[in-house]
Structures are given as C-alpha cells and as structure tokens.
Amino acid sequence: MSNKKEKPLIKVENLQRCFRTGEVETLALKKADFSIFPGEFVAIMGPSGSGKSTLMHIIGFLDKATKGKYVFKGKNVNKLSEDELADLRNQAVGFIFQSFNLLPRTTVFENVRLPLMYSKKTNSKQKKLAEEAIKSVSLLHRRDYMSNQLSGGEKQRVAIARALVNEPDIILADEPTGNLDSKSGGQIMKILQDLNEKGKTIIMVTHEQYTAEHARRIINIRDGSVFKDTRIKQRRIKDGQDLIK
C-alpha cells in the first residue's frame, strides 16, 4: 500500500490528447486528473474507445499530451526531449502487452535480455539480471526454448520477465490476460499481485471488471474523461482460486 506522505510517482493534471486527420480533430482524451504513488497496483478501466489506451501511451512515454501536465518523479514530461523520453521508456518502464511482442525464433533468455542490450551494463551483469527475471516467473526450465515453442501463458510470463529485467519504476500492463484462457490469465494476475506485494508499482489497462478487481484501485475512464477513482477490496488469487482480501 502507498504512503500518501510520499511524493507521487505519477501526477497528471487536465491531461488531453487530440488527434488531427486533415481538418478533422478527434479528442481521444478530454480530461484526466489523478496521482499514482510508489507501490500502488492501479487498473485503468474502460470500454473500447474510452481513451484508456491513449492514456497508457502517454504514461509510458510512447506519446505526448496535447494539453495538460504530466509529472513523473518530479519531472515535467512535457518539457523533455525525444532522447530523454526514449531513455525513460527504456529505463523507467517495463511494458507487458496483450500480444506478448516476443521475438519468435529467439530463446526465452535472449528475449528477456533484449532491453539490457541498450544499457551500459556489462555482459555478466546482463546475464545475471536476465536469469533472475526468468527465475522470478518460474521459467528457468524454459530458458533455452524458442519463444514460439511456448504456450500463451508462458509467453506472457516471458514478457513479464522482460518487463522486470531493467528494474523499472513502473510496470505497464496492457490487457495482460486478453489472449489467455482463464487458468493462464489467473496465473498471470497472481504473478502481478506477487510483484506488487514486493513493492512494484503496476498500472494495468483493461476493459474487464473481473481483471480490474485484481488491482487495489480502479480508475474508470469513459468518453475520454476520468469519471470514477476508487480503492477496492482486492480479488486475491491463491492456489488457482480467487479470494477476496
């Protein structure tokens, strides 16, 4: 749980994003105001077209707001250069995507190690961090498998290990169970809950209420605006079964 005496890790104020096609303007994000503190597990929830993916792209430094303010660790993101944004994407955020985004004919180890290739860490340090990340998702026995030899649930666990390997400030998960069956999805949510228990800050985008309830807080978005922000009784997973905590 976060300590509100801490400074927020993320603070957005009146965040807006407008897309222009010719003379047509589309306001994908109309207004977003909230703070996220270190150690929180937040679900951003809304139907397709609500603006949640646009918001995630801005939070993850993949896009910039048209108006409003985004402060990350005390820095005004709007004023950062493209190079500074690229550094933040690589160092501060670990991404988990619905479609996994793994290199298909590449081993689990090399997929997990990939983000470190752009760092200044030594080869031995890179190998150690990759091994630790793979171990954290219980996949050491698949270390040298090609990613296209894995099940969907295993692929997502590799994606989580890859997201962890740079020891980021936040993990951004975009519909992390969207391509999985219920059992594999439950395993992924348990891993995310366990990571949060260890202090990781997790922001998850989902359109499913059931998935959102595995977080500790839900920010609801509708028609490009935040209309509800609530703390909830977290749906806990233990031994394959959900428990309300």
Side-chain angles (χ1 to χ4, degrees):
M1 297 296 289
S2 62
N3 179 357
K4 293 302 180 289
K5 292 182 179 179
E6 292 182 281
K7 291 183 179 179
L9 183 63
I10 289 170
K11 184 175 179 62
V12 299
E13 297 176 352
N14 195 32
L15 214 60
Q16 300 176 36
R17 181 65 170 99
C18 182
F19 294 97
R20 185 189 298 271
T21 305
E23 295 183 357
V24 178
E25 289 188 349
T26 303
L27 199 57
L29 194 64
K30 296 177 183 176
K31 184 177 181 181
D33 289 281
F34 58 83
S35 296
I36 295 175
F37 290 80
E40 286 202 280
F41 188 172
V42 180
I44 297 175
M45 187 183 174
S48 296
S50 61
K52 63 184 186 299
S53 292
T54 299
L55 177 58
M56 190 202 76
H57 288 159
I58 294 172
I59 290 174
F61 315 109
L62 295 166
D63 193 14
K64 276 190 172 182
T66 307
K67 291 182 180 179
K69 190 174 183 181
Y70 173 22
V71 177
F72 179 78
K73 295 181 74 173
K75 292 183 179 180
N76 188 342
V77 174
N78 306 52
K79 296 181 179 180
L80 298 181
S81 68
E82 290 300 321
D83 286 343
E84 289 172 321
L85 288 173
D87 285 342
L88 279 176
R89 279 195 300 272
N90 188 47
Q91 300 297 326
V93 184
F95 292 96
I96 303 169
F97 299 98
Q98 178 178 350
S99 55
F100 318 130
N101 288 10
L102 302 179
L103 299 177
R105 291 177 294 277
T106 307
T107 65
V108 167
F109 177 79
E110 291 301 333
N111 265 287
V112 172
R113 186 184 178 185
L114 186 63
L116 297 171
M117 305 299 285
Y118 305 100
S119 72
K120 296 179 181 179
K121 296 179 174 68
T122 63
N123 281 336
S124 60
K125 180 64 172 177
Q126 289 182 24
K127 290 178 180 179
K128 181 181 179 182
L129 287 171
E131 294 274 4
E132 289 174 350
I134 294 169
K135 184 179 180 180
S136 73
V137 296
S138 304
L139 276 181
L140 275 179
H141 63 296
R142 295 282 193 262
R143 180 192 185 280
D144 298 317
Y145 278 54
M146 298 296 175
S147 64
N148 56 4
Q149 295 177 301
L150 305 177
S151 68
E154 288 173 334
K155 288 178 181 178
Q156 195 61 293
R157 284 154 67 187
V158 174
I160 292 173
R162 183 184 57 191
L164 290 171
V165 76
N166 253 341
E167 301 174 313
D169 294 295
I170 56 174
I171 295 173
L172 273 182
D174 186 7
E175 302 280 5
T177 64
N179 281 340
L180 304 177
D181 58 49
S182 58
K183 181 180 178 181
S184 297
Q187 291 171 344
I188 294 306
M189 293 314 304
K190 185 176 188 308
I191 290 172
L192 293 179
Q193 287 180 336
D194 289 345
L195 289 170
N196 179 244
E197 291 287 346
K198 294 174 182 176
K200 290 292 183 184
T201 305
I202 299 174
I203 303 172
M204 175 178 66
V205 171
T206 182
H207 68 278
E208 297 177 339
Q209 180 71 31
Y210 179 82
T211 301
E213 287 174 357
H214 291 88
R216 295 180 180 272
R217 174 183 170 197
I218 300 177
I219 295 174
N220 291 91
I221 294 185
R222 183 171 58 197
D223 298 328
S225 299
V226 173
F227 75 94
K228 194 175 181 182
D229 185 345
T230 54
R231 299 193 178 278
I232 63 169
K233 289 184 177 180
Q234 186 184 45
R235 187 180 294 275
R236 292 291 298 169
I237 297 177
K238 184 177 181 181
D239 299 328
Q241 297 182 351
D242 284 359
L243 301 174
I244 297 295
K245 183 179 180 181

